[in-house]
Amino acid sequence: MKIVLLGYMASGKSSIGKRLSKKLSMRFLDLDDYIVEKEKMSISKIFQIKGEVYFRLIEHKYLKEIIENDENFILALGGGTPCYANNMDEINKNDTLSIYLQGSTATMIERLIRKKSKRPLIASLGDDKIPEFVAKHLFERRPFYEQAKKTIKIDDKTKKEVAKELANLLN
């Protein structure tokens, strides 16, 4: 089984994916970590030195590389991954199960303000600018996220509860 978790920044893709991988005894991969390992450079450094177009090209290449692998896995995507290079078509091919971890705009704003320093994309924004930034992004990305085969709502749930819900869904 190939499980791909997608959703906005701070929706819990990586932490829930790790929990789920333990519950299901499956390999966990984080696409951003995979890119960093392959390119021997941080994501922010790739953006800074080579630009977003280059990043989106290699992101697509590595996504395809992982999905075409025969092994079972749980893969956490970057928040923007589904929105570029027909990545959702690639993700939804064959036996891959894509799952959208859907948080309301309010939930995502609250989580991002709390963990702002760990998010390079928003670290320099004032707290008052984050609601508009998040609302705009979610509006633009929703059509891509909603192409996932399943959706799990994450509002008012702990990561542990979401991982358990996912495990039940898969059994």
Side-chain angles (χ1 to χ4, degrees), residues 34-142:
Y34 190 86
I35 293 168
V36 167
E37 190 181 306
K38 292 282 190 176
E39 295 290 309
K40 309 215 177 323
M41 200 183 302
S42 71
I43 301 290
S44 50
K45 202 77 162 159
I46 295 168
F47 266 82
Q48 186 187 337
I49 294 171
K50 299 187 175 185
E52 185 176 5
V53 172
Y54 175 82
F55 175 78
R56 296 301 175 192
L57 284 170
I58 60 165
E59 179 183 53
H60 178 73
K61 174 185 146 189
Y62 293 132
L63 172 67
K64 214 172 155 158
E65 192 175 287
I66 293 167
I67 288 177
E68 288 173 356
N69 189 319
D70 286 339
E71 292 177 43
N72 292 332
F73 58 76
I74 296 167
L75 173 66
L77 300 181
T81 308
C83 311
Y84 297 92
N86 294 321
N87 285 338
M88 283 309 296
D89 293 340
E90 200 61 50
I91 292 160
N92 282 329
K93 261 192 205 167
N94 310 321
D95 60 344
T96 306
L97 176 60
S98 54
I99 303 169
Y100 172 25
L101 301 180
Q102 183 185 49
S104 67
T105 304
T107 294
M108 302 323 303
I109 290 166
E110 186 267 322
R111 286 183 178 192
L112 285 167
I113 286 174
R114 217 174 348 117
K115 296 195 167 135
K116 188 168 91 168
S117 64
K118 293 184 179 136
R119 302 286 173 176
L121 202 58
I122 60 161
S124 62
L125 292 179
D127 288 359
D128 60 324
K129 300 282 186 236
I130 291 175
E132 183 184 349
F133 179 89
V134 172
K136 181 179 176 284
H137 254 174
L138 283 174
F139 178 77
E140 292 167 352
R141 293 177 175 189
R142 189 168 286 125

Side-chain angles (χ1 to χ4, degrees), residues 5-32:
L5 301 178
L6 57 110
Y8 195 59
M9 253 191 301
S11 60
K13 299 175 297 288
S14 294
S15 46
I16 290 165
K18 286 175 190 164
R19 286 176 186 267
L20 191 61
S21 80
K22 284 192 181 102
K23 276 184 183 295
L24 302 177
S25 300
M26 285 174 72
R27 183 167 162 228
F28 173 75
L29 295 158
D30 181 292
L31 183 58
D32 283 351

